[in-house]
Amino acid sequence: MAAPLGALATDDAAQVPAAKKSYYVDLAGNEDDAPKPSQPPSKLKTDKDSVAKLEAKTFQLINEARKANGAEAVTLNKKLSDLARTYAQRLLAEKFFSHWDPAGVGAQERASKAGIKCGVYENLGWQSDEDTSMEKVADLHKSFMDEPADQKNHRYILLHPKHQYVGVGIAKSGDELALVQEYTDENPDEAH
């Protein structure tokens, strides 16, 4: 089975070394420079209201970018969002940044285990700095959209005209934020 487009840039889980302000986008091959969470996994806290607002803003930015670039809006899907949110939480808790977890499980296998029977295309982002979480979301979106339009990258996945559904997941801890987007071409609730 072919790897999802979002999984083309790396073939193993990278440990996450400490860093100052930077944008970390896995498809750009920067996973070796991604920051480590500053708190141990047992102390990670998620403010659900805040995370819900960040995920809603991310979804809004996705559809604004699609409209501005001639693509139809995608529909937010709960199954895909649960998949994305769970993986964003793992990225922070387990201190890695890759489309493949430390055991070598990729996006498509994670989706299949979650009962999603269609192909998924994944975007990952990580930011660690003193910006507000909303600024981090906007900065990550901008970094995706600033990528070259003629390459298979985050921008390509975000704007792909065949994508109809998306899941958005965000996790945050201290000054760190992990973002996961899962896209599909068909309804994950109906795919067999």
Side-chain angles (χ1 to χ4, degrees):
M1 172 170 44
L5 294 176
L8 296 176
T10 181
D11 22 272
D12 60 359
Q15 289 300 317
V16 184
K20 297 244 181 205
K21 180 174 180 170
S22 291
Y23 307 114
Y24 299 93
V25 287
D26 195 55
L27 285 175
N30 294 328
E31 64 272 353
D32 291 336
D33 298 325
K36 282 186 179 174
S38 57
Q39 298 177 7
S42 61
K43 294 185 181 179
L44 291 179
K45 295 179 183 175
T46 302
D47 175 351
K48 292 185 181 185
D49 291 332
S50 179
V51 167
K53 288 178 185 175
L54 296 170
E55 290 173 351
K57 180 63 174 179
T58 300
F59 178 64
Q60 175 189 343
L61 291 169
I62 289 168
N63 276 330
E64 286 173 358
R66 290 178 65 84
K67 181 179 179 183
N69 287 276
E72 298 221 1
V74 288
T75 301
L76 191 64
N77 179 271
K78 183 180 179 341
K79 279 185 181 178
L80 291 172
S81 290
D82 290 346
L83 177 69
R85 191 174 307 109
T86 298
Y87 198 59
Q89 291 166 349
R90 282 194 66 198
L91 293 172
L92 282 182
E94 297 177 31
K95 301 179 184 179
F96 71 96
F97 184 70
S98 175
H99 290 286
W100 286 269
D101 71 16
V105 176
Q108 194 61 56
E109 188 175 347
R110 287 192 313 274
S112 182
K113 287 179 180 181
I116 298 168
K117 306 294 184 204
C118 53
V120 299
Y121 305 83
E122 181 173 81
N123 279 345
L124 302 180
W126 186 309
Q127 191 177 13
S128 176
D129 63 21
E130 292 162 14
D131 285 349
T132 66
S133 294
M134 199 60 77
E135 290 169 330
K136 287 180 176 109
V137 164
D139 289 347
L140 285 168
H141 178 76
K142 182 179 181 324
S143 73
F144 290 175
M145 293 307 297
D146 284 348
E147 293 176 353
D150 59 346
Q151 296 177 11
K152 291 185 178 179
N153 52 32
H154 297 98
R155 176 190 171 95
Y156 174 86
I157 290 172
L158 194 150
L159 297 177
H160 198 288
K162 289 188 178 181
H163 293 162
Q164 298 178 30
Y165 297 88
V166 69
V168 176
I170 289 178
K172 61 185 192 128
S173 176
D175 67 352
E176 297 164 324
L177 183 139
L179 165 70
V180 179
Q181 300 171 348
E182 305 286 356
Y183 295 85
T184 64
D185 298 350
E186 55 187 301
N187 188 338
D189 299 321
E190 298 173 1
H192 301 289

